[in-house]
Amino acid sequence: MPTVTLVSAWPLLLLLALPLVWLLARRRRTGTESARILGATALRTGILAALVAALCQPVLQRASEAVSVAYVLDVSGSVSPRFVEEAMEWIAQLDARHEPAQSRYVVFADRARVFESLEDVRALPVADEDSAGRADLIHPGATDLEEALLATLPGFEPGRAKRIVLLSDGNQTEGEVWRAMRRLRNEGVRVFAVPAAVSVTDDAWVEEIVVPQDVRERAEVEIEARLFSRRPMQATVELALGGWPAASRSVALAQGENRVSFRVRFPRAGSQDLTVRVSAQGDQMARNDALTRDVFVLPRPHVLYVEGGAQAARHLAGALEAQGIRVSLAAPEDLSEDPRLLAGKDAVILSDVRAESLGARAVQSLQAFVRDYGGGLIFAAGENTYGEEGFSGSEIERLLPVRFEAKRKRQDLDLVLLIDRSSSMRKGKIEVAKAAALSTLDLLDPEQGLAVVAFDAKPHVIVPLAPVGDKRQAEDLISRMTSSGQTNIYGALEEAMRQLADSKAEIKHIILLSDGLTAPPPGGQSAGQAWVKMLLRRGDGSPWPDVESDMATQFAGIMAQLAAAKITLSTVVFGEGPDVKFMRSLAKLGSGQTYIAKADEDVPSLFAGETRRVRGDAVVEEPFRPLVKASSPAIAGVDFAAGPALKGYVESRPKRFSDVLLEAKKDLPLLAETHYGLGKTVVFLSDVKNRWAADWLQWPGYARLWGQVVREAARREAADGVKWQVVREGRRARVELTALGADGSFRNGLLPQVRITAPQGSSSTVTLRQIAPGRYQTEVPLAAAGGQSWRFELLPGGGIGAADVARAGVRRLFYSYPDEYRLLPPDLVLLRALSEQTGGSLAPPEEEIFKPRADGGLRSLALWPYLAAAALLFFLLDILVRRAPWSWRRVR
């Protein structure tokens, strides 16, 4: 229903004058002129009312269903020319059938142009290769959906339903269509998207070349070529380095994204170009087959190798040289005497160095080298690592990702092995127990004591407690053990106490091997509970720990006696269906450890590990293969499971924020790394030479591992000076520069200048503007240049010194082909979302585009001109009445 609204309401106050008009007219009225005065007053009332109404500016609003439509046609390079021709014919037919109130035409690619007729659209020239630089033409090398949609808004006539018919593949390469979404919705514009046909259907192209950061001269790196194929195709992928063929692979491309990797070495430092070309069967578009990118290659790392044993340095030094790493050798004393050896180095390797051989001056230099200058420190252990005091608690340890166990002097030790030889130990398990006892015997020093007690229903002393001496007699006695009978652990513990009763050793310890399925102690449960109530605290005053097993409470009495005699107990759980809770509880009461043997072959190593723990050993000499704990470029591609075993390692504990890459045993790190200040530190807890790593020296994984470890730890870039990069974003290049002082502070207020040389040889200079502390940036437009490069050179001046320029190097940027020629299928997800979120639909029937939806708004008609005309008419009538007195006389 039509409605009337007022722009201003204040003129209505003027109507208050109407009573005054009539009052004055009444006083003037006489008998002879009363009719004339009455008529004139009525006319003047009409004039005043019409003028007041006109001053209120009334507007008549009526609903409208008229449609204003804008056809938005994509003519970019990814859209089929045939589709464009057919689309224009379809638009003409649509206009003829539905006769919208307004039609306009927007043609777009890299920019948008608006036309009022299809004839103008057909006459529009599109830029080709020869006219690519002309600003008055639409260039097919890009798609800007955002600009195209926004270009329609100013031309919509008010009060009409607003429709956009978008004919595009939806693959935008510039702008961001979602930024236009809000304006479209606010202005009530409905978008109806029609997916466009792509220009070719059989195509494969190079989408991207992925190169690791900080590529080094002569280092083998993995280059990943990301390819896209419209359908499954056979193809050849070639990689060229500096214009020379470097690698080639025949691949079967799947539909969609494909990844092909190459391993290459860059022969020199500096800026080098890398080209990947794909040749696919049936490919219809050659322009996107090759992609080139610039790689800035850093000089090969220079390492200072400090070896504790000079004669063994040749092994690692040779492996690193073969990996393209420069190596300078030094003794620990050289580093202490002349810390200037660190100058120009990217990393330092300390191998099997005694702690006392590094003076305070050397340690301070290493700290500054890593923390302040971003250098790498690689610490390799060895048999001499600890020396007299070791590195535990030292300043060097503060740098590393692990904490070392302090080196302890050998203590007096009397050890009793309680070995369950009951019938449950048959079927070969007694032989495992013998092997465990023999492995323990091998670890003990001649002056340390050992007793072996085998038990079933009662204990049998196999080896009485005595110094092990030459160990032969003990070996013979252990080898004669047999299995039989039931299990009585309580009696075995009593025998262990008797064996240790006269011991004067600093450490008195029992290792109990059993399945824990034992007869109760003498006196039964009540006696055990009585002991628990009576002995609320152990001999040292500390409270008893909670235990998990009811059976263990019955052993509280004898465990209290062991504690009073300062005898500790650890348990090794072994056998079928063991009572783990009981064995764990005994170990808790005995202030020891519990070990669970998952397989027979685990038992000897568990005994050996517990013996080393009790002895306080940090060095473990036994064969093992590293266990991969986490993935890292430092260990990538190294098959440790297939490699030879290492023969020893040093026990340590990882720090909280370290990354453990390899383990020697579960929870015992072998290779770990962490960041310290600007640099990185790495620790390897075996050695790198011909003792523990003797079998590794001829293994190919040895050189590869250490080459990767060094490169990952080495200094990335100088901590001071300038760092810069050039990145292409669409048809623009972004130049970014960071400037730091020698102390790591930001260098502000600079005016860095960069000379840009285009592929055709023309050059220009741009100044970077500061965007943040120490950060400068600018953007410059680009044009696709095929295989030619844009050259960017940092110039001295504006606060940038010649040394900064020399260190920064030259950057090149390749723009092989516009992003538009990544000929992807239509982006139906984007087109559907754009349509539905604005109230339209994807690929609609033509009737739906023009269907009335009560969204045409209101057509407004200003009424004040008509009211002003009425006031004028009343005014003329008033004059007529006043100028024609004859009419009134006739009446009189």
PDB file of all heavy atoms in Angstrom, residues 848-872:
ATOM      1  N   GLU A 848      14.346 -17.611 -12.346  1.00  0.00           N
ATOM      2  CA  GLU A 848      14.629 -17.333 -10.934  1.00  0.00           C
ATOM      3  C   GLU A 848      15.370 -16.007 -10.765  1.00  0.00           C
ATOM      4  O   GLU A 848      15.233 -15.336  -9.743  1.00  0.00           O
ATOM      5  CB  GLU A 848      15.458 -18.478 -10.338  1.00  0.00           C
ATOM      6  CG  GLU A 848      15.664 -18.350  -8.835  1.00  0.00           C
ATOM      7  CD  GLU A 848      16.350 -19.563  -8.242  1.00  0.00           C
ATOM      8  OE1 GLU A 848      16.444 -20.598  -8.944  1.00  0.00           O
ATOM      9  OE2 GLU A 848      16.795 -19.463  -7.090  1.00  0.00           O
ATOM     10  N   ILE A 849      16.146 -15.620 -11.773  1.00  0.00           N
ATOM     11  CA  ILE A 849      16.904 -14.367 -11.675  1.00  0.00           C
ATOM     12  C   ILE A 849      15.954 -13.180 -11.592  1.00  0.00           C
ATOM     13  O   ILE A 849      16.172 -12.239 -10.819  1.00  0.00           O
ATOM     14  CB  ILE A 849      17.845 -14.217 -12.895  1.00  0.00           C
ATOM     15  CG1 ILE A 849      18.842 -15.378 -12.934  1.00  0.00           C
ATOM     16  CG2 ILE A 849      18.566 -12.874 -12.856  1.00  0.00           C
ATOM     17  CD1 ILE A 849      19.695 -15.413 -14.193  1.00  0.00           C
ATOM     18  N   PHE A 850      14.838 -13.218 -12.369  1.00  0.00           N
ATOM     19  CA  PHE A 850      13.925 -12.087 -12.460  1.00  0.00           C
ATOM     20  C   PHE A 850      12.672 -12.272 -11.608  1.00  0.00           C
ATOM     21  O   PHE A 850      11.752 -11.459 -11.676  1.00  0.00           O
ATOM     22  CB  PHE A 850      13.538 -11.857 -13.919  1.00  0.00           C
ATOM     23  CG  PHE A 850      14.719 -11.565 -14.797  1.00  0.00           C
ATOM     24  CD1 PHE A 850      15.361 -12.584 -15.493  1.00  0.00           C
ATOM     25  CD2 PHE A 850      15.216 -10.277 -14.906  1.00  0.00           C
ATOM     26  CE1 PHE A 850      16.456 -12.323 -16.294  1.00  0.00           C
ATOM     27  CE2 PHE A 850      16.316 -10.009 -15.698  1.00  0.00           C
ATOM     28  CZ  PHE A 850      16.944 -11.031 -16.397  1.00  0.00           C
ATOM     29  N   LYS A 851      12.643 -13.320 -10.819  1.00  0.00           N
ATOM     30  CA  LYS A 851      11.474 -13.608 -10.002  1.00  0.00           C
ATOM     31  C   LYS A 851      11.264 -12.526  -8.941  1.00  0.00           C
ATOM     32  O   LYS A 851      12.208 -12.134  -8.251  1.00  0.00           O
ATOM     33  CB  LYS A 851      11.668 -14.971  -9.319  1.00  0.00           C
ATOM     34  CG  LYS A 851      10.539 -15.377  -8.397  1.00  0.00           C
ATOM     35  CD  LYS A 851      10.868 -16.721  -7.765  1.00  0.00           C
ATOM     36  CE  LYS A 851       9.778 -17.145  -6.786  1.00  0.00           C
ATOM     37  NZ  LYS A 851      10.103 -18.446  -6.150  1.00  0.00           N
ATOM     38  N   PRO A 852      10.028 -11.989  -8.795  1.00  0.00           N
ATOM     39  CA  PRO A 852       9.768 -10.986  -7.749  1.00  0.00           C
ATOM     40  C   PRO A 852       9.999 -11.590  -6.359  1.00  0.00           C
ATOM     41  O   PRO A 852       9.501 -12.672  -6.051  1.00  0.00           O
ATOM     42  CB  PRO A 852       8.288 -10.607  -7.959  1.00  0.00           C
ATOM     43  CG  PRO A 852       7.993 -11.000  -9.377  1.00  0.00           C
ATOM     44  CD  PRO A 852       8.829 -12.212  -9.646  1.00  0.00           C
ATOM     45  N   ARG A 853      10.724 -10.851  -5.533  1.00  0.00           N
ATOM     46  CA  ARG A 853      11.050 -11.337  -4.190  1.00  0.00           C
ATOM     47  C   ARG A 853      10.789 -10.271  -3.130  1.00  0.00           C
ATOM     48  O   ARG A 853      11.340 -10.335  -2.039  1.00  0.00           O
ATOM     49  CB  ARG A 853      12.524 -11.766  -4.115  1.00  0.00           C
ATOM     50  CG  ARG A 853      12.890 -12.887  -5.080  1.00  0.00           C
ATOM     51  CD  ARG A 853      14.395 -13.107  -5.090  1.00  0.00           C
ATOM     52  NE  ARG A 853      14.783 -14.100  -6.073  1.00  0.00           N
ATOM     53  CZ  ARG A 853      14.941 -15.402  -5.803  1.00  0.00           C
ATOM     54  NH1 ARG A 853      14.738 -15.847  -4.578  1.00  0.00           N
ATOM     55  NH2 ARG A 853      15.300 -16.248  -6.749  1.00  0.00           N
ATOM     56  N   ALA A 854       9.987  -9.271  -3.482  1.00  0.00           N
ATOM     57  CA  ALA A 854       9.686  -8.174  -2.552  1.00  0.00           C
ATOM     58  C   ALA A 854      10.967  -7.491  -2.073  1.00  0.00           C
ATOM     59  O   ALA A 854      11.059  -7.054  -0.928  1.00  0.00           O
ATOM     60  CB  ALA A 854       8.874  -8.686  -1.360  1.00  0.00           C
ATOM     61  N   ASP A 855      11.945  -7.439  -2.940  1.00  0.00           N
ATOM     62  CA  ASP A 855      13.201  -6.793  -2.574  1.00  0.00           C
ATOM     63  C   ASP A 855      13.505  -5.606  -3.475  1.00  0.00           C
ATOM     64  O   ASP A 855      14.622  -5.106  -3.504  1.00  0.00           O
ATOM     65  CB  ASP A 855      14.351  -7.789  -2.634  1.00  0.00           C
ATOM     66  CG  ASP A 855      14.560  -8.366  -4.035  1.00  0.00           C
ATOM     67  OD1 ASP A 855      13.680  -8.167  -4.892  1.00  0.00           O
ATOM     68  OD2 ASP A 855      15.602  -9.000  -4.267  1.00  0.00           O
ATOM     69  N   GLY A 856      12.446  -5.148  -4.225  1.00  0.00           N
ATOM     70  CA  GLY A 856      12.680  -4.022  -5.119  1.00  0.00           C
ATOM     71  C   GLY A 856      12.725  -2.696  -4.403  1.00  0.00           C
ATOM     72  O   GLY A 856      13.037  -1.670  -4.999  1.00  0.00           O
ATOM     73  N   GLY A 857      12.328  -2.667  -3.137  1.00  0.00           N
ATOM     74  CA  GLY A 857      12.361  -1.418  -2.402  1.00  0.00           C
ATOM     75  C   GLY A 857      11.142  -0.576  -2.711  1.00  0.00           C
ATOM     76  O   GLY A 857      10.090  -1.068  -3.129  1.00  0.00           O
ATOM     77  N   LEU A 858      11.228   0.716  -2.495  1.00  0.00           N
ATOM     78  CA  LEU A 858      10.117   1.639  -2.680  1.00  0.00           C
ATOM     79  C   LEU A 858      10.480   2.681  -3.727  1.00  0.00           C
ATOM     80  O   LEU A 858      11.592   3.220  -3.730  1.00  0.00           O
ATOM     81  CB  LEU A 858       9.784   2.327  -1.343  1.00  0.00           C
ATOM     82  CG  LEU A 858       9.342   1.402  -0.203  1.00  0.00           C
ATOM     83  CD1 LEU A 858       9.208   2.194   1.080  1.00  0.00           C
ATOM     84  CD2 LEU A 858       8.027   0.714  -0.549  1.00  0.00           C
ATOM     85  N   ARG A 859       9.530   2.960  -4.593  1.00  0.00           N
ATOM     86  CA  ARG A 859       9.693   4.065  -5.531  1.00  0.00           C
ATOM     87  C   ARG A 859       9.166   5.321  -4.852  1.00  0.00           C
ATOM     88  O   ARG A 859       8.028   5.360  -4.391  1.00  0.00           O
ATOM     89  CB  ARG A 859       8.935   3.814  -6.828  1.00  0.00           C
ATOM     90  CG  ARG A 859       9.436   2.614  -7.610  1.00  0.00           C
ATOM     91  CD  ARG A 859      10.888   2.787  -8.056  1.00  0.00           C
ATOM     92  NE  ARG A 859      11.081   3.997  -8.825  1.00  0.00           N
ATOM     93  CZ  ARG A 859      10.938   4.072 -10.156  1.00  0.00           C
ATOM     94  NH1 ARG A 859      10.595   2.991 -10.828  1.00  0.00           N
ATOM     95  NH2 ARG A 859      11.154   5.202 -10.793  1.00  0.00           N
ATOM     96  N   SER A 860       9.934   6.358  -4.812  1.00  0.00           N
ATOM     97  CA  SER A 860       9.572   7.579  -4.089  1.00  0.00           C
ATOM     98  C   SER A 860       9.173   8.672  -5.078  1.00  0.00           C
ATOM     99  O   SER A 860       9.831   8.869  -6.110  1.00  0.00           O
ATOM    100  CB  SER A 860      10.753   8.051  -3.229  1.00  0.00           C
ATOM    101  OG  SER A 860      11.090   7.061  -2.288  1.00  0.00           O
ATOM    102  N   LEU A 861       8.085   9.396  -4.737  1.00  0.00           N
ATOM    103  CA  LEU A 861       7.627  10.527  -5.529  1.00  0.00           C
ATOM    104  C   LEU A 861       7.493  11.743  -4.615  1.00  0.00           C
ATOM    105  O   LEU A 861       6.718  11.729  -3.647  1.00  0.00           O
ATOM    106  CB  LEU A 861       6.275  10.220  -6.183  1.00  0.00           C
ATOM    107  CG  LEU A 861       5.649  11.375  -6.983  1.00  0.00           C
ATOM    108  CD1 LEU A 861       6.530  11.728  -8.194  1.00  0.00           C
ATOM    109  CD2 LEU A 861       4.243  10.987  -7.436  1.00  0.00           C
ATOM    110  N   ALA A 862       8.245  12.806  -4.883  1.00  0.00           N
ATOM    111  CA  ALA A 862       8.166  14.031  -4.088  1.00  0.00           C
ATOM    112  C   ALA A 862       6.893  14.791  -4.454  1.00  0.00           C
ATOM    113  O   ALA A 862       6.635  15.107  -5.630  1.00  0.00           O
ATOM    114  CB  ALA A 862       9.404  14.892  -4.328  1.00  0.00           C
ATOM    115  N   LEU A 863       6.064  15.110  -3.454  1.00  0.00           N
ATOM    116  CA  LEU A 863       4.769  15.756  -3.686  1.00  0.00           C
ATOM    117  C   LEU A 863       4.827  17.276  -3.579  1.00  0.00           C
ATOM    118  O   LEU A 863       3.849  17.958  -3.931  1.00  0.00           O
ATOM    119  CB  LEU A 863       3.737  15.214  -2.684  1.00  0.00           C
ATOM    120  CG  LEU A 863       3.454  13.703  -2.765  1.00  0.00           C
ATOM    121  CD1 LEU A 863       2.447  13.307  -1.704  1.00  0.00           C
ATOM    122  CD2 LEU A 863       2.929  13.334  -4.152  1.00  0.00           C
ATOM    123  N   TRP A 864       5.907  17.859  -3.084  1.00  0.00           N
ATOM    124  CA  TRP A 864       5.929  19.306  -2.844  1.00  0.00           C
ATOM    125  C   TRP A 864       5.738  20.142  -4.121  1.00  0.00           C
ATOM    126  O   TRP A 864       5.117  21.220  -4.068  1.00  0.00           O
ATOM    127  CB  TRP A 864       7.203  19.706  -2.094  1.00  0.00           C
ATOM    128  CG  TRP A 864       8.476  19.593  -2.904  1.00  0.00           C
ATOM    129  CD1 TRP A 864       9.334  18.568  -2.927  1.00  0.00           C
ATOM    130  CD2 TRP A 864       8.997  20.587  -3.789  1.00  0.00           C
ATOM    131  NE1 TRP A 864      10.383  18.816  -3.769  1.00  0.00           N
ATOM    132  CE2 TRP A 864      10.198  20.062  -4.306  1.00  0.00           C
ATOM    133  CE3 TRP A 864       8.563  21.860  -4.201  1.00  0.00           C
ATOM    134  CZ2 TRP A 864      10.978  20.772  -5.239  1.00  0.00           C
ATOM    135  CZ3 TRP A 864       9.345  22.562  -5.102  1.00  0.00           C
ATOM    136  CH2 TRP A 864      10.542  22.025  -5.629  1.00  0.00           C
ATOM    137  N   PRO A 865       6.257  19.666  -5.320  1.00  0.00           N
ATOM    138  CA  PRO A 865       5.983  20.504  -6.503  1.00  0.00           C
ATOM    139  C   PRO A 865       4.489  20.632  -6.797  1.00  0.00           C
ATOM    140  O   PRO A 865       4.001  21.692  -7.226  1.00  0.00           O
ATOM    141  CB  PRO A 865       6.732  19.786  -7.621  1.00  0.00           C
ATOM    142  CG  PRO A 865       7.788  18.991  -6.929  1.00  0.00           C
ATOM    143  CD  PRO A 865       7.129  18.543  -5.670  1.00  0.00           C
ATOM    144  N   TYR A 866       3.733  19.552  -6.584  1.00  0.00           N
ATOM    145  CA  TYR A 866       2.295  19.580  -6.845  1.00  0.00           C
ATOM    146  C   TYR A 866       1.588  20.484  -5.841  1.00  0.00           C
ATOM    147  O   TYR A 866       0.657  21.228  -6.182  1.00  0.00           O
ATOM    148  CB  TYR A 866       1.721  18.167  -6.789  1.00  0.00           C
ATOM    149  CG  TYR A 866       2.395  17.214  -7.760  1.00  0.00           C
ATOM    150  CD1 TYR A 866       3.368  16.334  -7.331  1.00  0.00           C
ATOM    151  CD2 TYR A 866       2.044  17.223  -9.108  1.00  0.00           C
ATOM    152  CE1 TYR A 866       3.983  15.472  -8.219  1.00  0.00           C
ATOM    153  CE2 TYR A 866       2.659  16.362 -10.005  1.00  0.00           C
ATOM    154  CZ  TYR A 866       3.634  15.494  -9.557  1.00  0.00           C
ATOM    155  OH  TYR A 866       4.259  14.645 -10.431  1.00  0.00           O
ATOM    156  N   LEU A 867       2.021  20.427  -4.610  1.00  0.00           N
ATOM    157  CA  LEU A 867       1.418  21.281  -3.588  1.00  0.00           C
ATOM    158  C   LEU A 867       1.748  22.743  -3.846  1.00  0.00           C
ATOM    159  O   LEU A 867       0.910  23.646  -3.643  1.00  0.00           O
ATOM    160  CB  LEU A 867       1.913  20.849  -2.203  1.00  0.00           C
ATOM    161  CG  LEU A 867       1.441  19.460  -1.759  1.00  0.00           C
ATOM    162  CD1 LEU A 867       2.175  19.028  -0.495  1.00  0.00           C
ATOM    163  CD2 LEU A 867      -0.069  19.467  -1.520  1.00  0.00           C
ATOM    164  N   ALA A 868       2.967  23.010  -4.304  1.00  0.00           N
ATOM    165  CA  ALA A 868       3.320  24.398  -4.641  1.00  0.00           C
ATOM    166  C   ALA A 868       2.472  24.897  -5.815  1.00  0.00           C
ATOM    167  O   ALA A 868       2.023  26.062  -5.839  1.00  0.00           O
ATOM    168  CB  ALA A 868       4.802  24.482  -4.980  1.00  0.00           C
ATOM    169  N   ALA A 869       2.234  24.028  -6.783  1.00  0.00           N
ATOM    170  CA  ALA A 869       1.379  24.407  -7.920  1.00  0.00           C
ATOM    171  C   ALA A 869      -0.047  24.689  -7.456  1.00  0.00           C
ATOM    172  O   ALA A 869      -0.717  25.630  -7.944  1.00  0.00           O
ATOM    173  CB  ALA A 869       1.383  23.300  -8.968  1.00  0.00           C
ATOM    174  N   ALA A 870      -0.556  23.884  -6.511  1.00  0.00           N
ATOM    175  CA  ALA A 870      -1.907  24.124  -5.973  1.00  0.00           C
ATOM    176  C   ALA A 870      -1.970  25.461  -5.263  1.00  0.00           C
ATOM    177  O   ALA A 870      -2.965  26.215  -5.384  1.00  0.00           O
ATOM    178  CB  ALA A 870      -2.286  22.988  -5.023  1.00  0.00           C
ATOM    179  N   ALA A 871      -0.907  25.803  -4.485  1.00  0.00           N
ATOM    180  CA  ALA A 871      -0.882  27.104  -3.803  1.00  0.00           C
ATOM    181  C   ALA A 871      -0.914  28.239  -4.809  1.00  0.00           C
ATOM    182  O   ALA A 871      -1.598  29.267  -4.610  1.00  0.00           O
ATOM    183  CB  ALA A 871       0.360  27.188  -2.913  1.00  0.00           C
ATOM    184  N   LEU A 872      -0.181  28.075  -5.929  1.00  0.00           N
ATOM    185  CA  LEU A 872      -0.181  29.102  -6.974  1.00  0.00           C
ATOM    186  C   LEU A 872      -1.574  29.249  -7.608  1.00  0.00           C
ATOM    187  O   LEU A 872      -2.047  30.370  -7.877  1.00  0.00           O
ATOM    188  CB  LEU A 872       0.860  28.753  -8.039  1.00  0.00           C
ATOM    189  CG  LEU A 872       0.974  29.721  -9.220  1.00  0.00           C
ATOM    190  CD1 LEU A 872       1.358  31.124  -8.735  1.00  0.00           C
ATOM    191  CD2 LEU A 872       1.988  29.205 -10.237  1.00  0.00           C
TER     192      LEU A 872
END
